[in-house]
Amino acid sequence: MKDKFGLTEKGGKTSSRNPHDDRQPQLNPLQETSFGPVIACPTYGDFAKRFGCEILQEVGDLQLIDGDLAMTRDFELMLGDKAYDAMRRLLDDWRLKAPHLQLLYSLSRLMVQREADAERRVTEATETAVARGYGPLGISREPGFQKAWQAHFDEEGTAQAGRDVYPGCIVLMASYALSRFRDDIECTRQSWQQTGALYGGRSIGEIVVASANGVRHQDDWFKTHPPTPQQQRSMDVLDAALGAQGPHHSYAYSAGRCEQVLALLDGGKGFDGLTAAMFAYAHEIALECRRTSRPGL
């Protein structure tokens, strides 16, 4: 029996499941309904085993600093040392968003297919019109071609917009997660920029944040000529990692180049590939933080 808050009543007492209890039934993170994913959050333990690396195999206890309970800068209780707690918060934030981000990944891939389908329908309509004897100048009068051509622009434009929207949302969430981690662990600029796998000499943290800057300020980036020094710094990061950006030729064109950034970082493995790359990067920073911090922090 459940009370009004959805908690299970047992023997007159109210209890709820421990969100970190690995004995909970595992749900498919992409059990989709017409409204999106079902509750489907991976357990803390499962996520830690897959992506948490060495530090999150530990157990974090409450900490005391000068006789008081240690707190994060946003007033949450700190568990373990700074390295452990920053990784724990990163993992908890990311796993709760996992089913939604996986769905966005699926929609992003679907938009690539939808754009190709729209182009294919026009090609097929053109071939049919030619087969019926319509010449190059008269093909536009063939009814089937007219219908396909009229539908093409909306279908293609919508698909291209999706290729901008869905990767952009993923990159924004990744930027938020890594930026909070950076603030929690108080890593140096050198660690942020030089740790882990480098792409054109740029770190994962640099690339994700630069891409997110392009999403947040896309209109300004497109309209400011020449770019401001702040804009140029982010553009330089993306150009170093991805190469120079080509001309603006579709609605999928993005200042943050998010689709390309995700393809670069996830290694063709989708959400799991991106998550593995982010957590490997964060874990190296955490280990460096632990090596250089004084005990108790």
Side-chain angles (χ1 to χ4, degrees):
M1 179 178 178
K2 294 184 179 180
D3 65 8
K4 64 180 180 179
F5 299 106
L7 301 178
T8 304
E9 296 180 357
K10 296 180 180 179
K13 296 182 179 179
T14 300
S15 64
S16 62
R17 282 178 170 173
N18 179 350
H20 295 174
D21 185 355
D22 292 340
R23 294 173 297 178
Q24 296 179 74
Q26 299 294 309
L27 297 175
N28 179 353
L30 276 181
Q31 290 176 353
E32 298 174 23
T33 69
S34 58
F35 300 101
V38 178
I39 63 180
C41 171
T43 67
Y44 181 95
D46 179 60
F47 218 69
K49 288 174 184 175
R50 294 182 63 196
F51 303 113
C53 306
E54 174 187 332
I55 286 178
L56 285 177
Q57 306 310 311
E58 304 168 5
V59 176
D61 295 322
L62 292 171
Q63 302 293 301
L64 291 176
I65 295 181
D66 298 328
D68 292 325
L69 286 172
M71 307 286 286
T72 65
R73 294 174 67 179
D74 52 357
F75 303 108
E76 287 190 4
L77 289 170
M78 180 179 289
L79 300 180
D81 63 7
K82 187 185 297 182
Y84 176 89
D85 196 62
M87 286 294 296
R88 175 190 67 82
R89 278 160 53 89
L90 174 65
L91 186 144
D92 233 358
D93 173 75
W94 196 247
R95 77 179 181 91
L96 293 172
K97 292 171 181 171
H100 311 290
L101 295 172
Q102 286 178 306
L103 184 60
L104 291 177
Y105 249 103
S106 296
L107 290 170
S108 180
R109 290 192 296 267
L110 178 61
M111 292 304 104
V112 174
Q113 184 60 52
R114 289 277 173 85
E115 183 177 357
D117 289 345
E119 187 64 34
R120 175 182 51 78
R121 282 191 285 271
V122 169
T123 300
E124 290 175 350
T126 302
E127 293 171 350
T128 299
V130 171
R132 291 176 177 174
Y134 286 85
L137 298 180
I139 194 172
S140 61
R141 296 194 298 271
E142 199 276 325
F145 178 84
Q146 288 180 349
K147 183 178 179 180
W149 185 254
Q150 290 165 1
H152 171 263
F153 291 103
D154 284 347
E155 293 173 349
E156 182 182 63
T158 301
Q160 290 174 351
R163 292 178 61 183
D164 180 23
V165 169
Y166 301 127
C169 290
I170 296 168
V171 165
L172 284 173
M173 291 299 98
S175 175
Y176 163 77
L178 288 177
S179 295
R180 188 176 81 150
F181 168 81
R182 179 185 187 182
D183 189 61
D184 284 347
I185 207 165
E186 298 179 315
C187 76
T188 64
R189 176 178 293 185
Q190 180 178 0
S191 292
W192 181 255
Q193 295 180 345
Q194 298 181 14
T195 299
L198 300 179
Y199 303 84
R202 304 294 185 163
S203 72
I204 289 175
E206 286 185 285
I207 294 167
V208 168
V209 170
S211 181
N213 287 341
V215 176
R216 283 190 289 265
H217 306 291
Q218 177 159 288
D219 192 54
D220 288 339
W221 281 28
F222 285 163
K223 292 178 178 178
T224 305
H225 307 286
T228 67
Q230 187 174 11
Q231 291 171 346
Q232 190 64 58
R233 281 194 293 272
S234 291
M235 292 176 183
D236 288 344
V237 170
L238 296 177
D239 285 349
L242 302 170
Q245 190 173 25
H248 186 162
H249 62 273
S250 86
Y251 290 109
Y253 188 89
S254 164
R257 306 175 68 177
C258 301
E259 191 176 63
Q260 292 175 270
V261 165
L262 294 180
L264 176 71
L265 300 184
D266 68 28
K269 297 178 180 178
F271 174 77
D272 283 356
L274 174 66
T275 300
M278 286 174 54
F279 276 80
Y281 167 70
H283 187 254
E284 285 198 42
I285 291 177
L287 290 176
E288 178 64 21
C289 170
R290 180 170 282 181
R291 284 192 293 266
T292 58
S293 294
R294 58 190 175 91
L297 293 180

